[in-house]
Amino acid sequence: MEIIQPSSHLVQDTKELHLSTRGDAGVVLNGNAKSQVIFNIPDAIVIDDSIEYIQFSIPYAVVPNSFYVINMTNCMLQVLQSSITSTYMFPMGNYTASTFITQFKALLPNTFNITLGVNNNQFTITHTTTAFTILGTSTIDSIMGFSGNQVSTGLSLTMPRVCNFLPLPRICFRCNKLANSFTASSIDSGDVILSIPNTAKLNGQIIYTNNSGSKTLFKLDSLRDFIVSITNDDGDLIDFNGISSFFVFRFDIFRKSIEKPMSFRNVISLVNSKS
C-alpha cells in the first residue's frame, strides 16, 4: 500500500463547488421536500498524472430548520382493540404536549382519553369500556414515549417514557461517492459525509462552519455526477417544506507540478493577434 507523505514541494490547487438544493442548482429528486439532489458537473474532478492526492472537505453549510416534529416518517398510531387494528394518521406539523392532546382527542373515538402527567411528563391513555394495545408498528412511538407493544392494564395505559416534541437533534449529509473515509455508529451511516448538530430555533437556520479544518481523502478517479441527500440518523429524507439548503464542497488538489498560466500581457497580445 502506497503511503501519502506531506511534502512542501507539492503545488496546491483548490476547487470549490457552491451547491444548493434549489431547482436551478441540480435536479431535485423529492420535490418540495428539497432534501435529495443530483448534481451533474462535467469534469468536476478528473485525475491526471500530476496529481499526488486530493483532500475533500465541507467548509460550511446552511440548512433551514423548517421541518416538522411530526412528519411522514413518524405520524402513524396503531391501536388493537377487540382483535381489530385501527390506524390513525396525525397531521404533519410542530406540536406541544397540549396541542398533541387536542389532536389525539379529535382523531380517535371519544371513548378514548389522553392526559399528561404533571410531574413525569408521560402520557396516560384510557378507554371507557374496552382494553386495548398500542402496537409497536406505530411510527409515532418516539413522540409518545414508547417502543414495542404496550398493553393496557384494565382500561388504562401509561407510556413507559416521557413524550418528546423536540426537533431532530442533528442533520446528516450523505453522498455515496464522497463518503469513502467516513465512519459512524448510527444506523445506515456508511454514506454520511457530515453530521450537523441542530442548535437553531424553529424556522431559523442551522449554520455549520468547519472550524476544525476536517478533511478526508478523495479516492475516486473522477467525479462528474453525484447525489446529495439530507436525512435524519435513520437515513430518512427530511422534508424542508420548500426551503433550500446551501453548502460548499471543497477539493484541495495536491500536484507535483502545475502549468503556469500565461502572463496578462501575453494574453492581451494573443487576443489582439486574433482580432
Side-chain angles (χ1 to χ4, degrees), residues 1-267:
M1 180 176 65
E2 185 179 0
I3 298 175
I4 297 176
Q5 297 284 2
S7 172
S8 59
H9 301 295
L10 297 178
V11 180
Q12 181 177 338
D13 185 15
T14 298
K15 177 174 286 190
E16 288 189 345
L17 305 180
H18 293 256
L19 307 172
S20 76
T21 58
R22 289 172 39 157
D24 57 357
V27 179
V28 182
L29 301 180
N30 62 339
N32 280 334
K34 287 184 172 289
S35 55
Q36 190 170 61
V37 184
I38 183 169
F39 297 98
N40 290 283
I41 305 175
D43 300 332
I45 298 293
V46 178
I47 300 296
D48 59 55
D49 291 339
S50 71
I51 297 176
E52 283 287 279
Y53 62 93
I54 299 175
Q55 291 181 324
F56 166 69
S57 62
I58 303 177
Y60 80 85
V62 180
V63 181
N65 190 3
S66 59
F67 42 86
Y68 293 141
V69 171
I70 293 182
N71 52 67
M72 285 300 295
T73 69
N74 63 358
C75 65
M76 182 182 69
L77 173 65
Q78 290 192 312
V79 181
L80 176 66
Q81 197 172 32
S82 301
S83 301
I84 298 174
T85 298
S86 300
T87 299
Y88 304 97
M89 305 296 290
F90 282 76
M92 293 185 291
N94 292 316
Y95 289 76
T96 63
S98 177
T99 57
F100 182 85
I101 287 173
T102 299
Q103 185 60 57
F104 182 98
K105 291 179 178 180
L107 197 59
L108 274 71
N110 59 14
T111 47
F112 280 99
N113 190 36
I114 183 171
T115 57
L116 181 68
V118 175
N119 297 320
N120 62 14
N121 213 35
Q122 292 170 281
F123 283 131
T124 295
I125 301 172
T126 59
H127 193 270
T128 56
T129 62
T130 310
F132 59 93
T133 300
I134 303 295
L135 296 179
T137 49
S138 302
T139 60
I140 204 166
D141 51 350
S142 64
I143 300 291
M144 294 184 66
F146 71 94
S147 58
N149 290 348
Q150 301 296 315
V151 181
S152 66
T153 301
L155 304 178
S156 178
L157 169 62
T158 297
M159 296 294 118
R161 301 196 303 268
V162 299
C163 59
N164 176 20
F165 295 98
L166 296 172
L168 287 177
R170 61 184 174 188
I171 311 299
C172 295
F173 276 72
R174 299 171 185 264
C175 180
N176 273 315
K177 292 187 176 180
L178 295 173
N180 302 300
S181 299
F182 283 83
T183 59
S185 60
S186 62
I187 299 172
D188 298 327
S189 62
D191 58 351
V192 173
I193 58 174
L194 179 64
S195 179
I196 307 175
N198 179 10
T199 59
K201 295 180 179 179
L202 184 65
N203 296 320
Q205 290 183 322
I206 304 166
I207 299 176
Y208 164 81
T209 303
N210 187 3
N211 293 322
S212 66
S214 174
K215 300 179 181 181
T216 60
L217 286 176
F218 176 76
K219 297 182 179 180
L220 301 179
D221 292 332
S222 62
L223 184 68
R224 294 179 175 86
D225 59 81
F226 52 94
I227 295 175
V228 175
S229 303
I230 309 177
T231 75
N232 61 17
D233 268 15
D234 295 329
D236 300 317
L237 291 170
I238 297 172
D239 186 348
F240 289 104
N241 294 302
I243 310 299
S244 298
S245 301
F246 299 82
F247 44 97
V248 170
F249 285 0
R250 173 173 171 147
F251 299 88
D252 292 318
I253 306 167
F254 293 86
R255 301 177 183 272
K256 290 175 286 188
S257 62
I258 189 170
E259 183 178 351
K260 184 178 180 179
M262 295 177 61
S263 68
F264 180 72
R265 179 177 296 178
N266 289 341
V267 171

